[in-house]
Amino acid sequence: MRVLTVNAGSSSLKLRLLDDDELVAAHDVPRWHGEPEPLREFQAEHAAEAIGHRVVHGGRAVRGPTPLDDRVVEQLAALTELAPLHQSRALQGIRAARDFAPDTPSVACVDTAFHRTLPEAARTYALPKEWNERWSLRRYGFHGLSHGYAVRRGAELAGNAGGRVLSCHLGAGSSLAAVRGGRCVDTTMGFTPEEGLVMATRSGSVDPGLLCWLLTSRGVSPEELRTTLQERSGLAGLAGGSGDLRDVLTAREDCDLDAELAYDVHAHALLRHAGAMIAAMGGLDLLVFTGGIGEHQPRLRADLADGLGFLGVEVDPERNAATTSDADISSRTARVRAVVVESREDVEISRQTREALSA
């Protein structure tokens, strides 16, 4: 089956045509504002038999790859405020595709589905039971399409050594997933994609008491707080400029103290959360790096490996420095394998689309 995969980011659009898992054609729109023309032109040229859409948040209603109809679109739209940077963009792609290709079956592939196996203790917030039930408050987790592919591909690269896998999706948005026996048992993002690691412009986890203090004692408005946590924090907030880790590292090499602190805070949060994920699955057999930072920043990979060295993680300096795509970067003496996996959400979307339509 020829599947068009639609991956709408916060500012970009990635279109891929796959025949089973084989890439046939690709088109990227770096600055996409929701216009339907790129999707219409791509479909007119390639005539996909089905369309798969990456959607960040599925909530409790959409728990796996789901054929799209009006009801499902409404359920996804109701979650927009929980993932405002991405949900609305995915919906623009869905509506555009349904308008110009109404007879082509479309499927929503949700990032949250990968984390539906979280144990109740891992997914439940210690809030009043009635709140959790009334508003469906729970840890949902994100980047599931990336984690799902990375875990499978990583195990292949490591010779199927992946009983307990720490999947590190590191990019502008970052999260970790603890996967034991193929099932996600813990993850760093929560009810929204704001929790967990320090990211490019997002703060990650912050003391809720501090946030309440800003709201009640310092006159910060809810909207200002939301915007600041999502768009003006993280590496950008600490370094005082770009949230791109490449820029932070360049400034750090020029002895910029703010950039040095930004990198150290980012790396420390990664190590701290990695330790928690490893404890949650009772050890570590395989460490997987994916995403823009995970694939292209050997310095950060080496630093995390050093921090986890007491567990038997050790990367080969030459392999690590040379790797930007699928490869084993472990040293020969490492007890825990470490691999880099090129992020291929398109493969996962295509696979899930075919499964949903053949069910």
Side-chain angles (χ1 to χ4, degrees), residues 36-72:
E37 285 75 18
L39 290 85
R40 181 185 295 115
E41 293 169 3
F42 195 89
Q43 171 68 350
E45 181 177 356
H46 298 290
E49 300 168 80
I51 302 174
H53 296 266
R54 179 203 173 200
V55 181
V56 167
H57 213 313
R60 284 192 172 179
V62 184
R63 295 174 52 82
T66 304
L68 284 160
D69 56 26
D70 290 343
R71 179 182 62 85
V72 174

Side-chain angles (χ1 to χ4, degrees), residues 216-282:
T216 60
S217 299
R218 288 299 177 265
V220 175
S221 70
E223 179 59 25
E224 181 184 3
L225 183 62
R226 183 194 66 79
T227 301
T228 300
L229 293 174
Q230 292 179 354
E231 302 175 14
R232 296 175 48 225
S233 298
L235 287 170
L238 290 171
S242 169
D244 190 315
L245 185 59
R246 292 169 295 186
D247 295 335
V248 172
L249 285 169
T250 298
R252 188 175 188 264
E253 291 171 1
D254 292 335
C255 300
D256 183 316
L257 295 181
D258 289 337
E260 182 174 347
L261 178 62
Y263 179 83
D264 290 347
V265 170
H266 180 275
H268 179 72
L270 176 58
L271 179 61
R272 182 175 67 238
H273 284 282
M277 295 296 105
I278 292 166
M281 58 183 168

Side-chain angles (χ1 to χ4, degrees), residues 20-33:
D20 290 332
D21 288 346
E22 295 298 318
L23 181 64
V24 176
H27 179 62
D28 291 346
V29 184
R31 291 288 177 266
W32 184 61
H33 304 287

Side-chain angles (χ1 to χ4, degrees), residues 150-168:
V151 168
R152 284 196 305 276
R153 179 60 178 146
E156 291 174 2
L157 291 171
N160 292 314
R164 295 166 298 183
V165 184
L166 178 62
S167 176
C168 306

Side-chain angles (χ1 to χ4, degrees), residues 5-17:
T5 68
V6 181
N7 190 336
S10 57
S11 62
S12 64
L13 177 68
K14 295 179 181 179
L15 303 175
R16 301 288 185 269
L17 182 71

